[in-house]
PDB file of all heavy atoms in Angstrom:
ATOM      1  N   ASP J 146      22.556  -6.911  27.962  1.00 91.00           N
ATOM      2  CA  ASP J 146      22.056  -5.611  28.154  1.00 91.00           C
ATOM      3  C   ASP J 146      22.835  -4.786  29.150  1.00 91.00           C
ATOM      4  O   ASP J 146      22.448  -3.786  29.637  1.00 91.00           O
ATOM      5  CB  ASP J 146      20.582  -5.674  28.676  1.00 91.00           C
ATOM      6  CG  ASP J 146      20.483  -6.123  30.081  1.00 91.00           C
ATOM      7  OD1 ASP J 146      21.316  -6.804  30.559  1.00 91.00           O
ATOM      8  OD2 ASP J 146      19.441  -5.760  30.803  1.00 91.00           O
ATOM      9  N   LYS J 206      29.449   1.476  27.815  1.00 97.00           N
ATOM     10  CA  LYS J 206      30.543   1.348  28.714  1.00 97.00           C
ATOM     11  C   LYS J 206      31.846   1.090  27.924  1.00 97.00           C
ATOM     12  O   LYS J 206      31.841   0.258  26.926  1.00 97.00           O
ATOM     13  CB  LYS J 206      30.365   0.177  29.735  1.00 97.00           C
ATOM     14  CG  LYS J 206      29.788   0.554  30.963  1.00 97.00           C
ATOM     15  CD  LYS J 206      29.582  -0.652  31.912  1.00 97.00           C
ATOM     16  CE  LYS J 206      30.921  -1.103  32.496  1.00 97.00           C
ATOM     17  NZ  LYS J 206      30.791  -2.369  33.216  1.00 97.00           N
ATOM     18  N   GLU J 258      40.940 -14.311  36.512  1.00 98.00           N
ATOM     19  CA  GLU J 258      40.844 -12.978  35.914  1.00 98.00           C
ATOM     20  C   GLU J 258      42.021 -12.738  34.994  1.00 98.00           C
ATOM     21  O   GLU J 258      42.681 -11.639  35.003  1.00 98.00           O
ATOM     22  CB  GLU J 258      40.781 -11.859  36.922  1.00 98.00           C
ATOM     23  CG  GLU J 258      39.563 -12.036  37.907  1.00 98.00           C
ATOM     24  CD  GLU J 258      39.603 -11.115  39.061  1.00 98.00           C
ATOM     25  OE1 GLU J 258      40.501 -10.278  39.177  1.00 98.00           O
ATOM     26  OE2 GLU J 258      38.607 -11.232  39.898  1.00 98.00           O
ATOM     27  N   LYS J 315      51.882 -17.235  33.204  1.00 98.00           N
ATOM     28  CA  LYS J 315      52.261 -18.371  34.058  1.00 98.00           C
ATOM     29  C   LYS J 315      50.916 -19.071  34.649  1.00 98.00           C
ATOM     30  O   LYS J 315      50.933 -20.271  34.688  1.00 98.00           O
ATOM     31  CB  LYS J 315      53.023 -17.743  35.231  1.00 98.00           C
ATOM     32  CG  LYS J 315      53.666 -18.769  36.153  1.00 98.00           C
ATOM     33  CD  LYS J 315      54.561 -18.134  37.176  1.00 98.00           C
ATOM     34  CE  LYS J 315      55.037 -19.124  38.279  1.00 98.00           C
ATOM     35  NZ  LYS J 315      55.910 -18.435  39.234  1.00 98.00           N
ATOM     36  N   GLU J 407      32.027 -11.818  31.662  1.00 97.00           N
ATOM     37  CA  GLU J 407      32.433 -11.184  32.931  1.00 97.00           C
ATOM     38  C   GLU J 407      33.275 -12.105  33.786  1.00 97.00           C
ATOM     39  O   GLU J 407      32.837 -12.432  34.928  1.00 97.00           O
ATOM     40  CB  GLU J 407      31.138 -10.716  33.612  1.00 97.00           C
ATOM     41  CG  GLU J 407      30.468  -9.696  32.931  1.00 97.00           C
ATOM     42  CD  GLU J 407      29.134  -9.250  33.560  1.00 97.00           C
ATOM     43  OE1 GLU J 407      28.786  -9.722  34.643  1.00 97.00           O
ATOM     44  OE2 GLU J 407      28.385  -8.395  32.962  1.00 97.00           O
TER      45      GLU J 407
ATOM     46  N   TYR F 155      34.123  -5.170  40.477  1.00 98.00           N
ATOM     47  CA  TYR F 155      33.204  -6.260  40.269  1.00 98.00           C
ATOM     48  C   TYR F 155      31.785  -5.854  40.089  1.00 98.00           C
ATOM     49  O   TYR F 155      30.896  -6.606  39.998  1.00 98.00           O
ATOM     50  CB  TYR F 155      33.238  -7.256  41.377  1.00 98.00           C
ATOM     51  CG  TYR F 155      34.549  -8.020  41.653  1.00 98.00           C
ATOM     52  CD1 TYR F 155      35.279  -7.899  42.767  1.00 98.00           C
ATOM     53  CD2 TYR F 155      35.034  -8.757  40.559  1.00 98.00           C
ATOM     54  CE1 TYR F 155      36.533  -8.551  42.922  1.00 98.00           C
ATOM     55  CE2 TYR F 155      36.259  -9.480  40.646  1.00 98.00           C
ATOM     56  CZ  TYR F 155      36.963  -9.351  41.834  1.00 98.00           C
ATOM     57  OH  TYR F 155      38.143  -9.930  41.927  1.00 98.00           O
ATOM     58  N   TRP F 157      29.820  -4.679  37.407  1.00 98.00           N
ATOM     59  CA  TRP F 157      29.761  -4.530  35.874  1.00 98.00           C
ATOM     60  C   TRP F 157      28.632  -3.755  35.541  1.00 98.00           C
ATOM     61  O   TRP F 157      28.624  -3.027  34.510  1.00 98.00           O
ATOM     62  CB  TRP F 157      29.734  -5.870  35.286  1.00 98.00           C
ATOM     63  CG  TRP F 157      30.898  -6.782  35.475  1.00 98.00           C
ATOM     64  CD1 TRP F 157      31.098  -7.455  36.597  1.00 98.00           C
ATOM     65  CD2 TRP F 157      32.021  -6.988  34.638  1.00 98.00           C
ATOM     66  NE1 TRP F 157      32.401  -8.204  36.471  1.00 98.00           N
ATOM     67  CE2 TRP F 157      32.847  -7.931  35.239  1.00 98.00           C
ATOM     68  CE3 TRP F 157      32.315  -6.618  33.310  1.00 98.00           C
ATOM     69  CZ2 TRP F 157      34.050  -8.465  34.673  1.00 98.00           C
ATOM     70  CZ3 TRP F 157      33.451  -7.048  32.728  1.00 98.00           C
ATOM     71  CH2 TRP F 157      34.318  -7.998  33.461  1.00 98.00           C
ATOM     72  N   SER F 207      14.595  -6.633  31.248  1.00 94.00           N
ATOM     73  CA  SER F 207      15.398  -7.037  32.501  1.00 94.00           C
ATOM     74  C   SER F 207      14.551  -6.626  33.589  1.00 94.00           C
ATOM     75  O   SER F 207      14.648  -5.523  34.146  1.00 94.00           O
ATOM     76  CB  SER F 207      16.683  -6.313  32.480  1.00 94.00           C
ATOM     77  OG  SER F 207      17.569  -6.803  31.529  1.00 94.00           O
ATOM     78  N   GLU F 310      52.742 -13.358  43.592  1.00 97.00           N
ATOM     79  CA  GLU F 310      53.292 -12.729  42.355  1.00 97.00           C
ATOM     80  C   GLU F 310      52.163 -11.818  41.832  1.00 97.00           C
ATOM     81  O   GLU F 310      52.621 -10.757  41.244  1.00 97.00           O
ATOM     82  CB  GLU F 310      53.588 -13.894  41.364  1.00 97.00           C
ATOM     83  CG  GLU F 310      54.832 -14.646  41.657  1.00 97.00           C
ATOM     84  CD  GLU F 310      55.090 -15.744  40.715  1.00 97.00           C
ATOM     85  OE1 GLU F 310      54.968 -15.540  39.487  1.00 97.00           O
ATOM     86  OE2 GLU F 310      55.421 -16.886  41.134  1.00 97.00           O
TER      87      GLU F 310
END
Side-chain angles (χ1 to χ4, degrees):
Chain J
D146 73 332
K206 266 179 80 186
E258 305 171 358
K315 186 174 173 181
E407 297 178 1
Chain F
Y155 293 121
W157 297 78
S207 290
E310 285 178 46

